[in-house]
Amino acid sequence: MGRKSLIKPDRQRPNSWTTFKENIANLIIEALMLLRQRDDLVKDERILNRLLQNCFVEANAKLRLDYIPAPEAKNSPHPEDKQKAKRENNMPDLSWNIMDHEASYRDWNRNFVLECKRLGMKTSKDWIPTEQYVIAGILRFFQEEKGYGKGCETGAMVAYVQDMELEEILSEVNTHLSKNEPSIPLLVFPSIGWQQQGVSRLHHTFSRSYIPFIFSLQHFWIDMKDCLYLPSSLDTQEISNKDEEIVTKL
């Protein structure tokens, strides 16, 4: 039997990207709710990301899906880039490479990025989580040198809400967003209200300088204020913050 063409899609093959978009929100919410139930939580962001990766495996099994994200994988090359772009050195927290068989051959690959951040009160005079959510989170989907989600019309952010009221957090995030990039629309109060001890969904759509030029960013804020955390050393937290500062400046 001859090989099937790589250019002409097989009509019997499901459209991975279409089904992925239909399922990704439920998958993220399921994984976050599983994260809330764990008894090995700490407040460190990188450790939470690792635990969330494990929760995605369990969430896929529960929902009978097979979308396991890659942790800290570099941004995928894009056919538009004739040589290695600076954005290819950046590593989103979690990402999926999904095939879109209805797109043109050059645009088959979709790199769906999920960036994760803590949200709550500032941990030091120079470290404000609501500010980092913007400059080291949202703007990575907007700035071409960061290039998150190039070639993909949508992406997502997760927020681990560890303290502060959600309404207060929203106000602070929007203040930092207005200050750092006023062209991006502010986040608005969720249409179904805040989900206490659950996942609140927000989103906005904005224009950017790289393809797709119109991009939709989904936000999933998991309320973890009531969770019990294992003690973690201050040194570990300080190192994590410093590492984040270094990445932000790259």
Side-chain angles (χ1 to χ4, degrees):
M1 180 181 295
R3 294 180 61 189
K4 294 182 179 180
S5 170
L6 294 177
I7 299 176
K8 185 179 295 185
D10 179 358
R11 292 185 178 181
Q12 301 301 315
R13 181 170 47 193
N15 186 318
S16 298
W17 175 239
T18 297
T19 55
F20 177 83
K21 286 194 297 183
E22 292 171 352
N23 291 315
I24 187 59
N26 289 335
L27 182 62
I28 293 173
I29 292 171
E30 182 68 29
L32 289 172
M33 293 304 292
L34 289 170
L35 181 69
R36 265 186 52 87
Q37 299 171 19
R38 295 183 68 105
D39 59 6
D40 55 352
L41 296 174
V42 296
K43 290 195 172 183
D44 181 82
E45 183 178 294
R46 291 188 175 183
I47 297 176
L48 286 174
N49 291 347
R50 184 177 183 277
L51 297 177
L52 181 60
Q53 162 74 13
N54 293 333
C55 290
F56 270 115
V57 175
E58 186 178 349
N60 272 281
K62 291 185 67 173
L63 299 179
R64 297 186 179 182
L65 300 173
D66 57 357
Y67 300 122
I68 305 298
E72 296 186 345
K74 290 185 177 180
N75 282 325
S76 297
H78 190 273
E80 182 188 66
D81 300 322
K82 303 306 180 185
Q83 57 187 6
K84 184 176 180 179
K86 185 177 180 180
R87 56 173 288 278
E88 292 176 35
N89 294 322
N90 298 322
M91 295 184 294
D93 292 323
L94 296 164
S95 59
W96 291 259
N97 277 330
I98 304 294
M99 298 295 286
D100 182 358
H101 298 294
E102 291 182 354
S104 65
Y105 177 57
R106 282 173 53 84
D107 297 326
W108 262 7
N109 184 58
R110 294 285 185 269
N111 185 228
F112 184 94
V113 168
L114 179 64
E115 185 70 2
C116 307
K117 290 284 178 282
R118 295 173 60 194
L119 275 180
M121 295 183 290
K122 63 182 181 180
T123 55
S124 73
K125 69 174 184 177
D126 298 320
W127 193 259
I128 306 173
T130 52
E131 180 182 44
Q132 290 299 313
Y133 190 82
V134 172
I135 64 177
I138 294 174
L139 294 189
R140 291 179 176 176
F141 295 89
F142 176 83
Q143 298 167 337
E144 191 162 2
E145 64 271 22
K146 301 299 182 184
Y148 282 18
K150 183 168 186 176
C152 188
E153 67 267 27
T154 185
M157 288 190 65
V158 154
Y160 308 120
V161 179
Q162 297 177 339
D163 46 48
M164 290 179 64
E165 294 303 316
L166 290 159
E167 190 69 32
E168 185 181 0
I169 289 174
L170 177 62
S171 177
E172 284 197 14
V173 166
N174 280 336
T175 296
H176 293 300
L177 186 56
S178 295
K179 177 182 176 181
N180 287 279
E181 188 46 62
S183 71
I184 297 179
L186 301 179
L187 293 170
V188 298
F189 182 83
S191 59
I192 61 173
W194 296 115
Q195 303 302 300
Q196 303 296 332
Q197 301 181 13
V199 179
S200 298
R201 295 184 59 183
L202 306 91
H203 76 279
H204 48 181
T205 299
F206 49 84
S207 300
R208 61 185 187 180
S209 62
Y210 59 97
I211 58 175
F213 301 114
I214 304 300
F215 183 78
S216 179
L217 184 58
Q218 307 171 62
H219 299 258
F220 298 84
W221 291 6
I222 177 69
D223 181 5
M224 303 178 71
K225 297 191 297 292
D226 65 315
C227 292
L228 297 177
Y229 296 93
L230 298 175
S232 59
S233 69
L234 293 176
D235 289 341
T236 299
Q237 184 58 54
E238 289 173 0
I239 290 172
S240 178
N241 288 348
K242 289 177 181 178
D243 285 346
E244 184 71 18
E245 288 174 342
I246 291 171
V247 172
T248 301
K249 292 177 182 177
L250 291 179

